[in-house]
Amino acid sequence: VDVDLDKRPADAEPFAFPTTCPACGSHAVRDVNASSGRIDAVRRCTGGLICPAQAKEKLKHFVSRHALDIEGLGDKQVEFFFDLPMEEGGIRQPADIFTLAQRDAASPLIKLKNRDGWGETSAANLFAAIDARREMPLNRVIFALGIRHVGDSSANLLARHYGTWEAFEAAMEAASLGAGPAWDDLLSIDGVGATMAGSL
């Protein structure tokens, strides 16, 4: 909960936290909580999806059990596909997952079924698992996006409020200005505050 200063050695030196991301070189900052004014304990990379580490973790979240739950596409497989060149079946963003089978079939290079650790059955099972996730409940899709401050329960609230992906997408686009009827509607949802709305 807090630092126990009685346990700190007298000759201890302050730890110098990194100010740049080791993966992409972007600034690493501690955000200020808008409602409390306190500085967050966590230092975060500001690179967004240009940061390969963040892009990889977003993909892992997207396919995780509480999100799209794609059987056969766990952390290890995400790492594998992320490291492949795009023309060889690489995955850099969620949309790439849903074109994997078509890209694999059209590729003149090594097919997935012929790669180490894969076979015809495991590749076919992965493609089938991806196809099975083309239609998902809205709350799972919103949660899968990995929007900061939007957890499982918040995704449920947003899905109930907007009802369809189209309505949600249009509302978020309109609310992105930070003012106006769409912004006010977003803030009217019980459990959505300014911090979450800003992340959305």
mmCIF file of all heavy atoms in Angstrom, residues 8 12-18 30 43:
data_model
loop_
_atom_site.group_PDB
_atom_site.id
_atom_site.type_symbol
_atom_site.label_atom_id
_atom_site.label_comp_id
_atom_site.label_asym_id
_atom_site.label_seq_id
_atom_site.Cartn_x
_atom_site.Cartn_y
_atom_site.Cartn_z
ATOM 1 N N ARG A 8 13.972 0.966 4.929
ATOM 2 C CA ARG A 8 14.890 1.440 3.896
ATOM 3 C C ARG A 8 16.280 1.653 4.493
ATOM 4 O O ARG A 8 16.423 2.351 5.491
ATOM 5 C CB ARG A 8 14.370 2.741 3.292
ATOM 6 C CG ARG A 8 15.285 3.293 2.206
ATOM 7 C CD ARG A 8 14.730 4.535 1.574
ATOM 8 N NE ARG A 8 13.594 4.193 0.746
ATOM 9 C CZ ARG A 8 12.750 5.080 0.232
ATOM 10 N NH1 ARG A 8 12.901 6.367 0.485
ATOM 11 N NH2 ARG A 8 11.748 4.689 -0.512
ATOM 12 N N ALA A 12 20.539 3.988 0.909
ATOM 13 C CA ALA A 12 19.779 3.701 -0.320
ATOM 14 C C ALA A 12 19.717 4.929 -1.219
ATOM 15 O O ALA A 12 19.578 6.055 -0.741
ATOM 16 C CB ALA A 12 18.365 3.253 0.034
ATOM 17 N N GLU A 13 19.840 4.694 -2.520
ATOM 18 C CA GLU A 13 19.775 5.782 -3.488
ATOM 19 C C GLU A 13 18.443 5.699 -4.229
ATOM 20 O O GLU A 13 17.937 4.598 -4.475
ATOM 21 C CB GLU A 13 20.926 5.658 -4.481
ATOM 22 C CG GLU A 13 22.272 5.674 -3.795
ATOM 23 C CD GLU A 13 23.266 6.531 -4.521
ATOM 24 O OE1 GLU A 13 22.927 7.096 -5.557
ATOM 25 O OE2 GLU A 13 24.391 6.628 -4.002
ATOM 26 N N PRO A 14 17.867 6.823 -4.604
ATOM 27 C CA PRO A 14 16.593 6.789 -5.331
ATOM 28 C C PRO A 14 16.744 6.036 -6.654
ATOM 29 O O PRO A 14 17.771 6.154 -7.331
ATOM 30 C CB PRO A 14 16.275 8.263 -5.600
ATOM 31 C CG PRO A 14 17.134 9.031 -4.664
ATOM 32 C CD PRO A 14 18.327 8.184 -4.371
ATOM 33 N N PHE A 15 15.736 5.255 -6.983
ATOM 34 C CA PHE A 15 15.750 4.515 -8.242
ATOM 35 C C PHE A 15 15.377 5.468 -9.373
ATOM 36 O O PHE A 15 14.424 6.229 -9.268
ATOM 37 C CB PHE A 15 14.763 3.345 -8.194
ATOM 38 C CG PHE A 15 14.805 2.482 -9.409
ATOM 39 C CD1 PHE A 15 15.750 1.485 -9.539
ATOM 40 C CD2 PHE A 15 13.916 2.677 -10.460
ATOM 41 C CE1 PHE A 15 15.814 0.689 -10.674
ATOM 42 C CE2 PHE A 15 13.970 1.886 -11.598
ATOM 43 C CZ PHE A 15 14.907 0.890 -11.708
ATOM 44 N N ALA A 16 16.129 5.430 -10.445
ATOM 45 C CA ALA A 16 15.845 6.284 -11.609
ATOM 46 C C ALA A 16 15.025 5.479 -12.610
ATOM 47 O O ALA A 16 15.539 4.601 -13.298
ATOM 48 C CB ALA A 16 17.139 6.755 -12.246
ATOM 49 N N PHE A 17 13.729 5.763 -12.667
ATOM 50 C CA PHE A 17 12.849 5.058 -13.591
ATOM 51 C C PHE A 17 13.127 5.532 -15.012
ATOM 52 O O PHE A 17 13.489 6.690 -15.232
ATOM 53 C CB PHE A 17 11.384 5.304 -13.221
ATOM 54 C CG PHE A 17 10.953 4.577 -11.992
ATOM 55 C CD1 PHE A 17 11.032 5.187 -10.752
ATOM 56 C CD2 PHE A 17 10.483 3.276 -12.060
ATOM 57 C CE1 PHE A 17 10.657 4.529 -9.601
ATOM 58 C CE2 PHE A 17 10.106 2.597 -10.920
ATOM 59 C CZ PHE A 17 10.181 3.222 -9.690
ATOM 60 N N PRO A 18 12.934 4.648 -15.992
ATOM 61 C CA PRO A 18 13.200 5.055 -17.380
ATOM 62 C C PRO A 18 12.229 6.137 -17.842
ATOM 63 O O PRO A 18 11.067 6.144 -17.441
ATOM 64 C CB PRO A 18 12.997 3.761 -18.176
ATOM 65 C CG PRO A 18 12.175 2.884 -17.304
ATOM 66 C CD PRO A 18 12.454 3.277 -15.887
ATOM 67 N N ARG A 30 4.152 9.289 -16.380
ATOM 68 C CA ARG A 30 3.173 8.946 -15.352
ATOM 69 C C ARG A 30 2.013 9.915 -15.515
ATOM 70 O O ARG A 30 2.187 11.122 -15.398
ATOM 71 C CB ARG A 30 3.795 9.058 -13.966
ATOM 72 C CG ARG A 30 4.844 7.996 -13.718
ATOM 73 C CD ARG A 30 5.644 8.255 -12.464
ATOM 74 N NE ARG A 30 4.806 8.222 -11.278
ATOM 75 C CZ ARG A 30 5.230 8.583 -10.077
ATOM 76 N NH1 ARG A 30 6.463 9.014 -9.908
ATOM 77 N NH2 ARG A 30 4.430 8.527 -9.049
ATOM 78 N N ARG A 43 4.330 4.052 -14.844
ATOM 79 C CA ARG A 43 4.888 4.839 -15.949
ATOM 80 C C ARG A 43 4.536 4.093 -17.230
ATOM 81 O O ARG A 43 4.763 2.907 -17.346
ATOM 82 C CB ARG A 43 6.399 4.951 -15.772
ATOM 83 C CG ARG A 43 7.058 5.932 -16.701
ATOM 84 C CD ARG A 43 8.523 6.113 -16.338
ATOM 85 N NE ARG A 43 8.706 6.835 -15.091
ATOM 86 C CZ ARG A 43 8.793 8.156 -14.992
ATOM 87 N NH1 ARG A 43 8.720 8.896 -16.070
ATOM 88 N NH2 ARG A 43 8.970 8.733 -13.832
#
